[in-house]
């Protein structure tokens, strides 16, 4: 999450309810160097006596961007199933259960707004056109079949996740497409679920610049197509070094961080 202090109370309420009904799951809020007090608000809520014990906060400084946050968080997680969703909860948390269930069959499961087949009235026309155009180019340039690579709702089995995120190079919003392309290059099983956007969600607050980011994303797709053209499962792939980042774990939850895979999925919020 990045500078989302105004959303935290409502988001935390929803996550807490889901955490109570899934006591063996571990939920991670990951703050990416917010400057508006976002992690302070989360930490205060974590201290509430009725807060579920399976929610933790990771505070990262400085800001490094969504792609890096998710990559480093996934590589450090030990759980058997790893799930992430955007920190503004654009999608109902119940979809995490569907992701988790599908991971019994697939190595990677992605949310697809196309499969939802419901009117996306809260998405501006220009965003829909750009998004559709980008996904068309992804399919054309990579040979993958998925009509929506960009939904912030994805799940991975642990070992395949490690193979994918160690190879991740893209640092902008095209990182989702890179992960899916890599999954197919490594012959992983990729499944999809319908991802319905919450009616109350607004894309007006998105950090994406609709003028500058699409060309950068397109160039990233071309570059990663070249970079990963010969990717194989047994390749040596030293992960890019994490920038000079300080990570602080909420003190009340430090005991959970080293937990064994009995805490099945990890939920990561990083909308920036």
């Amino acid at each position: 999450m990045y500078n989302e202090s105004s959303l935290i109370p409502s988001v935390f309420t929803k996550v807490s309810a889901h955490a109570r009904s899934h006591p063996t799951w571990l939920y991670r809020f990951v703050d990416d160097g917010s400057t508006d007090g976002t992690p302070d608000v989360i930490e205060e809520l974590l201290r509430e006596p009725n807060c579920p014990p399976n929610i933790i906060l990771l505070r990262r400084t400085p800001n490094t961007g969504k792609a890096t946050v998710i990559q480093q968080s996934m590589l450090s997680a030990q759980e058997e199933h790893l799930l992430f969703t955007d920190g503004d909860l654009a999608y109902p948390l119940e979809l995490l259960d569907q992701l988790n269930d599908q991971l019994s069959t697939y190595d990677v499961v992605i949310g697809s707004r196309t499969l939802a087949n419901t009117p996306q009235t809260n998405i501006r026309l220009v965003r829909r056109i750009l998004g559709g155009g980008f996904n068309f180019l992804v399919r054309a340039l990579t040979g993958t079949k998925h009509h929506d690579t960009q939904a912030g709702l994805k799940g991975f089995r642990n070992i395949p996740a490690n193979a994918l995120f160690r190879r991740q190079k893209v640092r902008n919003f095209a990182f989702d497409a890179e992960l899916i392309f890599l999954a197919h290059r490594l012959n992983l099983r990729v499944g999809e679920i319908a991802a319905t956007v919450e009616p109350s969600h607004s894309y007006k607050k998105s950090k994406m610049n609709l003028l500058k980011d699409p060309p950068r994303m397109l160039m990233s797709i071309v570059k990663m197509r070249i970079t990963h053209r010969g990717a194989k499962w047994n390749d040596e792939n030293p992960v890019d070094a994490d920038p000079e980042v300080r990570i602080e774990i909420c003190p009340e939850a430090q005991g959970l961080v080293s937990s064994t895979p009995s805490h099945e999925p990890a939920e990561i919020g990083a909308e920036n």
Side-chain angles (χ1 to χ4, degrees):
M1 309 189 77
Y2 179 68
N3 287 350
E4 299 285 9
S5 59
S6 62
L7 294 177
I8 294 304
S10 61
V11 167
F12 198 90
T13 297
K14 294 177 181 178
V15 172
S16 295
H18 200 266
R20 289 189 188 95
S21 63
H22 297 72
T24 62
W25 290 25
L26 176 61
Y27 296 75
R28 294 177 175 91
F29 278 91
V30 184
D31 180 76
D32 188 23
S34 293
T35 58
D36 70 340
T38 293
D40 298 324
V41 176
I42 297 174
E43 194 163 341
E44 184 177 343
L45 291 168
L46 285 171
R47 291 196 182 100
E48 293 291 329
N50 62 343
C51 176
N54 54 329
I55 303 177
I56 67 172
L57 165 67
L58 275 64
R59 302 173 65 142
R60 293 170 53 96
T61 52
N63 175 268
T64 56
K66 179 178 180 178
T68 299
V69 168
I70 290 180
Q71 179 192 41
Q72 298 300 327
S73 298
M74 289 293 189
L75 287 174
S76 65
Q78 301 177 19
E79 291 75 22
E80 175 61 26
H81 291 177
L82 309 175
L83 319 176
F84 77 77
T85 188
D86 289 338
D88 58 358
L89 300 189
Y91 310 97
L93 287 174
E94 289 74 20
L95 294 180
L96 295 178
D97 297 85
Q98 293 186 35
L99 286 180
N100 187 54
D101 291 342
Q102 289 298 309
L103 285 172
S104 63
T105 303
Y106 299 99
D107 300 303
V108 179
V109 182
I110 65 175
S112 172
R113 290 161 292 190
T114 303
L115 291 180
N117 199 29
T118 55
Q120 301 286 320
T121 56
N122 51 351
I123 304 178
R124 288 182 293 171
L125 178 61
V126 64
R127 188 183 178 99
R128 269 182 275 174
I129 293 173
L130 289 173
F134 176 75
N135 279 295
F136 172 80
L137 289 172
V138 169
R139 295 195 301 275
L141 292 172
T142 66
T144 56
K145 62 182 180 179
H146 308 285
H147 286 261
D148 184 10
T149 60
Q150 301 307 109
L153 183 70
K154 293 179 173 66
F156 307 83
R157 295 183 65 85
N158 186 290
I159 293 177
N162 190 272
L164 293 173
F165 286 99
R166 286 188 66 84
R167 290 169 169 82
Q168 178 190 332
K169 303 297 181 186
V170 174
R171 290 290 177 263
N172 57 36
F173 288 100
F175 82 95
D176 297 85
E178 179 188 29
L179 293 173
I180 295 169
F181 173 66
L182 275 170
H184 285 286
R185 292 294 301 179
L186 298 177
N187 294 316
L188 298 177
R189 300 163 298 173
V190 181
E192 296 179 292
I193 65 168
T196 303
V197 179
E198 289 278 21
S200 60
H201 181 259
S202 172
Y203 284 93
K204 293 179 181 179
K205 297 180 180 179
S206 172
K207 308 298 190 303
M208 177 181 286
N209 186 309
L210 294 181
L211 293 178
K212 295 181 180 180
D213 285 322
R216 294 171 182 165
M217 293 165 67
L218 177 58
M219 287 303 299
S220 293
I221 295 300
V222 174
K223 289 179 181 178
M224 69 91 172
R225 180 69 176 84
I226 296 171
T227 300
H228 301 305
R229 62 184 180 277
K232 296 179 181 179
W233 181 262
N234 293 325
D235 292 344
E236 290 290 335
N237 285 278
V239 67
D240 290 344
D242 200 357
E244 292 295 326
V245 172
R246 183 174 65 87
I247 301 177
E248 178 184 345
I249 303 165
C250 179
E252 288 79 2
Q254 284 190 20
L256 288 173
V257 177
S258 59
S259 61
T260 63
S262 60
H263 288 287
E264 213 166 22
E267 179 196 353
I268 298 172
E271 171 63 11
N272 67 301

